[in-house]
Amino acid sequence: MANQNREIKIAVMGATGSGKSTFISKASGSSLPAGHGLESCTNEVQTSRPFVVSGRVVTLIDTPEFDDTTRSDTDILTMI
């Protein structure tokens, strides 16, 4: 229980168009830009504003999409 006060950081990963940025914005009350369709929108790692769940501070991390329209999955993993 010593780590109970530590912030929880969750990386949200997935394919282009799966709704990662939209989910993060709705869950956290943030305003991350979201794409429409199957073209990549998230170009770099972004974080939501911190929010509280069951007394713990949570930050969601929006990652660039796998199956990106401009970069390989290897490039994405290196960036993350």
Side-chain angles (χ1 to χ4, degrees), residues 7-80:
E7 180 178 6
I8 299 170
K9 295 181 182 181
I10 302 170
V12 179
M13 305 167 98
T16 300
S18 62
K20 294 177 305 301
S21 299
T22 300
F23 166 76
I24 291 169
S25 290
K26 289 186 180 200
S28 67
S30 297
S31 300
L32 299 180
H36 301 284
L38 295 177
E39 189 167 324
S40 299
C41 176
T42 305
N43 295 318
E44 58 189 39
V45 175
Q46 304 176 75
T47 58
S48 71
R49 67 176 175 211
F51 58 102
V52 177
V53 176
S54 298
R56 303 283 303 268
V57 176
V58 176
T59 299
L60 299 176
I61 303 167
D62 194 8
T63 63
E65 296 86 357
F66 292 108
D67 299 327
D68 188 281
T69 53
T70 60
R71 291 176 287 190
S72 71
D73 288 350
T74 302
D75 291 339
I76 300 302
L77 283 172
T78 300
M79 181 187 310
I80 294 169

